[in-house]
């Protein structure tokens, strides 16, 4: 199974993803965590953050997940995922695909701004920031939508909701 966590920068993908993997590994040790930002480091930052670079990176992440899935390895992937065509490819290609959208208002994301991306983009110091000068299309068919902000949006509560909604994970 591939659990695909979608959300903009600051939505909580990494926090939810790492906690989810920890909980899943207690029941099924063959789970790996893939993070879009970390994979860019693994691949040597050979791609830019413009739309073309982001699309190439999306294909790399999806194809890596497909390879792991074919080997019976469960994956939790935390990715920005702005390409509905790759989300559809995932749904058609993976043995099991569960898409979770971490939905957070832009005002909350800008308040969090953990990486300083939004402020840098608003001040003209950075380009190609999703949500500012690259549109973020809402995923058309998520299996679960979570509001990862407010009193019900704590990381552990969100992980509980994902686990409750998941079909049985292969061991």
């Amino acid at each position: 199974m591939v659990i695909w966590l979608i959300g903009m920068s600051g939505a909580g993908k990494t926090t939810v993803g790492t906690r989810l993997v920890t909980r899943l590994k207690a029941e099924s040790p063959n789970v790996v965590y893939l993070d879009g930002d970390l994979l860019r480091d693994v691949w040597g930052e050979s791609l830019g953050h413009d739309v073309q670079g982001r699309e190439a990176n999306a294909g790399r992440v999806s194809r890596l997940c497909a390879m792991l899935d074919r080997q019976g390895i469960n994956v939790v992937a935390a990715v920005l995922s702005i390409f509905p065509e790759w989300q559809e490819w995932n749904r058609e290609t993976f043995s099991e695909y569960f898409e979770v959208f971490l939905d957070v208002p832009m005002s909350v994301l800008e308040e969090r701004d953990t990486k300083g991306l939004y402020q840098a983009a608003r001040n003209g110091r950075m380009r190609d920031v999703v949500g500012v000068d690259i549109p973020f299309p809402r995923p058309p068919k998520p299996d679960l939508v979570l509001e990862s902000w407010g009193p019900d949006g704590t990381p552990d509560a969100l992980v509980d909701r994902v686990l409750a909604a998941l079909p049985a994970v292969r061991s």
Side-chain angles (χ1 to χ4, degrees):
M1 167 178 280
V2 177
I3 302 167
W4 194 258
L5 302 176
I6 298 174
M8 294 193 357
S9 180
K13 300 179 301 294
T14 298
T15 302
V16 171
T18 55
R19 289 180 189 205
L20 180 59
V21 166
T22 298
R23 298 268 302 271
L24 289 170
K25 280 189 180 221
E27 298 173 25
S28 176
N30 70 334
V31 179
V32 298
Y33 174 71
L34 300 178
D35 184 288
D37 290 338
L38 297 176
L39 286 173
R40 280 181 171 273
D41 290 339
V42 168
W43 290 316
E45 248 341 296
S46 59
L47 300 171
H49 287 85
D50 59 1
V51 173
Q52 293 79 14
R54 288 177 183 281
E55 186 165 18
N57 197 55
R60 287 178 177 181
V61 174
S62 287
R63 288 188 295 271
L64 176 59
C65 287
M67 181 193 78
L68 293 168
D69 182 52
R70 284 191 301 271
Q71 295 178 49
I73 298 170
N74 298 302
V75 178
V76 174
V79 292
L80 212 133
S81 196
I82 62 172
F83 301 101
E85 59 272 19
W86 277 109
Q87 295 160 14
E88 188 60 33
W89 186 90
N90 294 347
R91 201 170 289 285
E92 293 170 0
T93 303
F94 303 154
S95 62
E96 291 184 70
Y97 177 67
F98 192 81
E99 188 177 287
V100 179
F101 174 37
L102 297 170
D103 190 9
V104 182
M106 191 64 181
S107 60
V108 173
L109 295 173
E110 287 183 315
E111 185 178 305
R112 289 179 184 171
D113 206 6
T114 53
K115 299 176 187 174
L117 299 175
Y118 300 118
Q119 182 177 5
R122 298 276 187 224
N123 293 336
R125 294 189 320 269
M126 184 179 285
R127 294 183 44 192
D128 299 324
V129 175
V130 174
V132 179
D133 55 345
I134 294 177
F136 179 81
R138 292 179 64 83
K141 295 189 280 187
D143 298 297
L144 180 64
V145 177
L146 300 175
E147 292 180 351
S148 60
W149 56 284
D152 297 329
T154 66
D156 289 327
L158 297 174
V159 170
D160 288 344
R161 289 191 55 208
V162 172
L163 290 170
L166 281 179
V169 178
R170 296 188 316 251
S171 51

